[in-house]
Amino acid sequence: YGIAGGHAHEGEEEVDVRIDLQQTRYELRSQYDFNRAIETAKILIATTDYEHTEFEGAEVGTVFETGGTDARIELKHAAIGDLVGAFGLQYRNIDFNAVGEEAYVPPSDTTETSLFAFEEWTVSDDWVLQGSARVERQTIEPELDLIDYSGTAYGVSLGFIHNVSEMQRVAANLAFTQRHPNSTELYADGPHVAVQRYERGAIAQG
C-alpha cells in the first residue's frame, strides 16, 4: 500500500505510508421451499463494518469508515407452461465517513432499493428465450451542505440460446444498462494518496 504515498518535498525525509485495515461482516442466508405458486424464497441479510487507517510513519493520517446493510429476497415462481423465472427486491445502505487531512470525499449516506425479474421460456428443444429487467432507486445525502443526489436507473436484457447439437450451443444477448454515480464520482475534492492523483467530483454533471 505504501508505494503510492509519502513522497517527500525537497529537503524533507521520505515518509513511509502504510495501512491498517479491519472488516467485520455478519451474514444470514435462508431458503424456504413452498412448492406452490411461489416455489422457493431465498433471503440474504448482511451487515458490514469496515475501517482502514492510513499511517504516515508512526502518525495517523486519515481514517476511512464504512458501515452498511444489505438485504435481498428472491422469489422463484412455479412454471407457467414452458416459462420459468424469478423476481425480487434488494436493499442496500452505506454510511461513509472519512476523518483526516486527506479525507478527499465528504461523509455521506447512500441508500439503494431495487426491483428485478428474470424469465426464461423454452420455445422448443432447440430454442430458449431469456429476458430480465431491473429498476434501481438511489439517494445520496452528503454532509457539508452539498447537493443531494436522487435518481432512478434502469436495465433490461434480451437473449436466446440455440441448441445446435448435443455438443454445441449458440447464445446471443442484447442489454441496455444504466449505472448510478457513487459518492466519490459526485463529491470528491482533494488528493487521493493511494493512486497519486487529485480527484474532483461533479454533482452538476451526474
Side-chain angles (χ1 to χ4, degrees):
Y1 186 83
I3 333 182
H7 26 262
H9 297 287
E10 186 176 351
E12 294 181 353
E13 183 180 351
E14 184 171 345
V15 178
D16 178 44
V17 176
R18 60 189 177 85
I19 187 173
D20 180 42
L21 183 152
Q22 182 175 1
Q23 175 174 279
T24 304
R25 179 177 174 88
Y26 297 98
E27 186 173 298
L28 171 67
R29 291 178 181 266
S30 179
Q31 178 174 321
Y32 189 80
D33 297 325
F34 296 96
N35 296 320
R36 295 182 180 177
I38 299 298
E39 284 192 345
T40 304
K42 295 181 180 179
I43 298 174
L44 165 67
I45 301 174
T47 178
T48 304
D49 185 17
Y50 170 92
E51 176 182 311
H52 84 246
T53 303
E54 294 175 354
F55 287 91
E56 299 177 10
E59 296 182 3
V60 174
T62 305
V63 180
F64 294 87
E65 298 175 325
T66 303
T69 301
D70 287 282
R72 175 186 173 100
I73 180 168
E74 181 180 317
L75 305 174
K76 179 183 177 183
H77 66 76
I80 304 171
D82 294 318
L83 186 71
V84 296
F87 58 95
L89 173 69
Q90 187 167 354
Y91 170 83
R92 187 182 188 199
N93 178 260
I94 303 169
D95 186 14
F96 170 80
N97 188 34
V99 179
E101 293 183 359
E102 292 165 358
Y104 64 100
V105 182
S108 63
D109 185 77
T110 302
T111 302
E112 300 171 358
T113 305
S114 307
L115 293 170
F116 60 89
F118 172 81
E119 297 293 332
E120 184 175 274
W121 178 31
T122 302
V123 181
S124 67
D125 291 339
D126 297 331
W127 291 93
V128 176
L129 299 181
Q130 297 176 329
S132 66
R134 182 182 181 92
V135 56
E136 181 177 273
R137 182 72 179 172
Q138 176 177 280
T139 60
I140 304 179
E141 298 177 355
E143 295 185 4
L144 307 179
D145 296 324
L146 295 169
I147 301 173
D148 291 356
Y149 170 84
S150 180
T152 303
Y154 302 91
V156 62
S157 69
L158 296 171
F160 72 84
I161 301 172
H162 178 45
N163 299 314
V164 180
S165 67
E166 292 184 359
M167 301 294 292
Q168 293 179 318
R169 285 185 174 185
V170 176
N173 289 279
L174 179 65
F176 169 80
T177 305
Q178 293 179 322
R179 180 182 72 83
H180 289 289
N182 58 41
S183 60
T184 301
E185 293 167 332
L186 293 176
Y187 306 112
D189 189 5
H192 186 178
V193 176
V195 292
Q196 290 191 15
R197 66 187 180 206
Y198 191 98
E199 296 192 6
R200 185 181 179 98
I203 180 62
Q205 296 178 11

